[in-house]
Amino acid sequence: MSRRSGGQVLVGALLVLAGVVLLLDRLDVLRASSVWSVLVPTAVVAVGAAALALVPRAWFGPVIVIAAGGLWLLDALDVVQESPWTFALPVAVAVLGLSILLASTGRGDDADRVRLFVFFWGGDRRSLSQQFRSASLTAVFGGIDLDLRAAAIQGRARVDVFTMFGGVEIKVPPTWRVQMVTLPVFGGTDDKTVAPFDPDAPVLEVHAVTVFGGATIKHGKPLAQQPYDPAAQPPYGTPGQPGTPGTPYA
């Protein structure tokens, strides 16, 4: 179990930049109010770009963040005569519909590549693939539950997660090693797995961007075992011989 947080680097850089702007304002070098009007939307675009680089498979959320920051920046700079927000709603609706259509093409329980997008609802997906490769999960004002406990990895696999005002839960078998790369923006991630002792254990990379949301990776409860059925078991010995079920000892 390991974790790297790109969010700490990004937030730290933005705080340093904000501190420099405030210092220059105190020194009467520039007016902070005019700088903030450009700096804040630029920071939103930077967050969206960092998210897109981290979770390219779950591209819808980062693209929306970049677009919102870009429109905000164009409006602040008065680049266009008409407000760019006029076109924001129809474009966002069209992109949302496209993303839902693409996500709906994912296969069923045997999928080695899972795509799931939820918007104001919840979604569950289970993979039984013995060659699981990747997943892209996007939850906006909704929740996703991905069950990989019956799946298998040949070497390495990767899951890209983007959640905004939503949550994602991933269940994995205890034989997998989880490696996380995270970008939390007023959100968080929780890796509850325990790394196996086997140094050659299959690796699941989880890249997660959480914006006012959360993502959890855990082992979950063990899968239910099939009930014992004597009639389905192979016979022991030859009927009529001692030791065969149903045959009395001599």
Side-chain angles (χ1 to χ4, degrees), residues 107-116 123-137 144-154 156-161 168-180 191 193 202-207 216-224:
R107 290 173 289 176
D109 287 353
D110 61 342
D112 54 0
R113 291 183 174 91
V114 176
R115 294 187 299 270
L116 191 58
D124 298 330
R125 186 65 59 85
R126 180 183 62 172
S127 175
L128 304 179
S129 172
Q130 299 306 293
Q131 293 183 341
F132 178 78
R133 298 182 181 182
S134 65
S136 62
L137 311 175
I144 292 177
D145 187 350
L146 176 62
D147 190 348
L148 300 175
R149 290 174 295 173
I153 294 175
Q154 305 300 322
R156 302 179 74 91
R158 172 167 166 167
V159 175
D160 284 7
V161 176
V168 171
E169 182 175 277
I170 304 173
K171 299 183 182 71
V172 300
T175 55
W176 291 7
R177 187 183 308 276
V178 175
Q179 295 179 351
M180 295 191 66
D191 182 3
T193 64
V203 176
L204 179 69
E205 296 182 14
V206 180
H207 293 217
T216 301
I217 298 88
K218 63 181 184 179
H219 294 310
K221 296 181 180 179
L223 294 174

Side-chain angles (χ1 to χ4, degrees), residues 15-99:
L15 288 176
V16 170
L17 184 58
V20 171
V21 170
L22 290 174
L23 179 61
L24 294 177
D25 180 64
R26 296 295 186 270
L27 296 174
D28 293 328
V29 176
L30 50 78
R31 293 181 56 188
S33 58
S34 60
V35 175
W36 288 129
S37 63
V38 176
L39 184 60
V40 173
T42 302
V44 173
V45 174
V47 170
L52 184 60
L54 184 63
V55 291
R57 291 182 178 88
W59 57 268
F60 175 78
V63 167
I64 290 298
V65 173
I66 294 173
L71 292 175
W72 189 358
L73 184 60
L74 291 175
D75 193 24
L77 295 175
D78 293 327
V79 174
V80 293
Q81 296 296 326
E82 189 173 359
S83 174
W85 295 105
T86 306
F87 310 99
L89 181 59
V91 171
V93 172
V95 174
L96 174 62
L98 176 62
S99 180

